[in-house]
Amino acid sequence: MKSPIYMDNNATTPVDPRVLDAMLPYFKEKFGNAASRNHEFGWVAEEGVEKAREQVAKAINASPKEIVWTSGATESNNIAIKGIASMYREQGNHIITQVIEHKAVIDPAKFLEQTGCHVTFLPVDKDGRVSAEQVREAMTDKTVLVSIMHANNEIGTINPIKEIGKLCKEKGVIFHTDACQTFAKVPIDVEDMGIDLLSCSGHKIYGPKGVGALYVRRKRPRVRCEPVLHGGGHERGMRSGTLNVPGIVGMGKAAELCFDNMAEETKFVGGLRDRLKDKLFSQLDEIFLNGHATERIPNNLNISFLYVEGESLMMGFSDVAVSSGSACTSASLEPSYVLKALGLGDDLAHSSIRFSLGRFTTQQEVDYVAERVVTAVKRLREMSPLYEMAQEGVDLSKVQWAHH
Ligand SMILES: *Cc1c(COP(=O)(O)O)cnc(C)c1O
């Protein structure tokens, strides 16, 4: 078993060797500019780009013409949110999103607020879900865009995207979803789900970093987006700039590998995740699952270990790479805004750890990590007077602490 162990696949995934192999020729002999229309070098590069467009489109039942290449999901989200708000300004200036979106949706929405847009940030329930009913109630005749993520990156909860999409279709409102954590891993059908715009990223699917895509619906309705970058008019004018050909080829290959093996991978990764979960829950008391119990992506396990502090816990097994609920906005020790939005108190939010498994996780690693975590939690709790008091039956919420 190799050390350190990687269990942070919701943050990024390693590049699959098959993806790297597909990319390499495009760094070497196939180096052409895909926009060079008058020679072989350009045609070869363009061929690679168009094949990748088909591979990405296929994973969401879209047409290749509807795929716009970007530098990643942050950019895709920016184009979708700012591009739609600006293009449809005449029709209305109201946008609906929710409080536990990725910052790459929240921050563009907040930016729009400064420019006079009205943004509704819907609350989520204790599992991190938004309902179509909530979206319906928030809609006004000025609503031009609804942006609700497919699955949350911290807690893994999946939203009822199809119901929300259906509602948006009914009301004639454009619907965007950030599908970084589900693209090519969970079934997505933009037709069936009523999705008009969808963001995804290469590095969450065992592809390279710095490449992503935005699906933009071309008919029923034809959606138009004001560009964020102005330049040569590439990508139907929605995203200018010379294409990152090796990255795009890699993302296409990565999407194909995920999509073609979706059922097997879901079973494999989900099985390992459940094994880890069972091992932890059978050996430790006072631990709590964050996010929805069943409506969640197969590779994510987010747990709060009451009476221990997430950062200290992580130091207790420093040969395992995971994320803690307080470290997400790395520099600060603010507990995660996602966990707070679920209604968790500071104690539970500060004691949370996200384990995210992947294609290259092994059962041996899962067993090792479970043992390391159990040992570390028990050791920290032995030193915790609060845990001791709770074990003795003291109701900590009723304790009158002395103030100095
Ligand atoms: C990773 C992630 C992003 C950002 O994607 P980049 O390609 O790194 O810009 C956005 N949203 C979600 C849900 C993510 O998981």
Side-chain angles (χ1 to χ4, degrees), residues 305-317 373-388:
F305 299 87
L306 199 51
Y307 308 113
V308 303
E309 204 273 313
E311 293 289 301
S312 325
L313 185 53
M314 266 166 61
M315 276 185 263
F317 47 88
V373 173
V374 168
T375 309
V377 170
K378 287 189 169 159
R379 197 178 55 83
L380 285 168
R381 282 181 175 173
E382 267 168 27
M383 302 186 291
S384 159
L386 288 181
Y387 182 68
E388 200 177 315

Side-chain angles (χ1 to χ4, degrees), residues 260-279:
D260 287 351
N261 300 297
M262 189 188 287
E264 296 87 327
E265 280 206 308
T266 297
K267 199 163 161 237
F268 171 75
V269 175
L272 288 181
R273 188 269 315 271
D274 291 343
R275 184 180 176 95
L276 179 59
K277 181 177 165 218
D278 292 345
K279 279 182 177 279

Side-chain angles (χ1 to χ4, degrees), residues 10-11 71-75 77 102 104 149 151-153 178 180-181 200-204 211:
N10 289 150
S71 63
T74 299
E75 188 186 346
N77 287 342
H102 192 276
M149 71 198 323
N152 182 272
N153 45 296
D178 176 349
C180 269
Q181 296 290 343
C200 55
S201 178
H203 74 97
K204 304 284 172 74
V211 62

Side-chain angles (χ1 to χ4, degrees), residues 109-128:
K110 285 194 172 153
F111 170 79
L112 287 176
E113 278 185 321
Q114 293 169 22
T115 70
C117 233
H118 296 291
V119 183
T120 301
F121 290 94
L122 294 171
V124 292
D125 69 13
K126 66 176 193 353
D127 298 323

Side-chain angles (χ1 to χ4, degrees), residues 168-183:
C168 290
K169 283 281 132 329
E170 197 182 297
K171 301 280 184 187
V173 174
I174 295 170
F175 177 41
H176 166 252
T177 188
D178 176 349
C180 269
Q181 296 290 343
T182 52
F183 172 70

Side-chain angles (χ1 to χ4, degrees), residues 39-51:
H39 55 65
E40 180 76 18
F41 295 92
W43 302 330
V44 168
E46 193 192 9
E47 208 176 274
V49 167
E50 294 314 313
K51 181 178 173 194

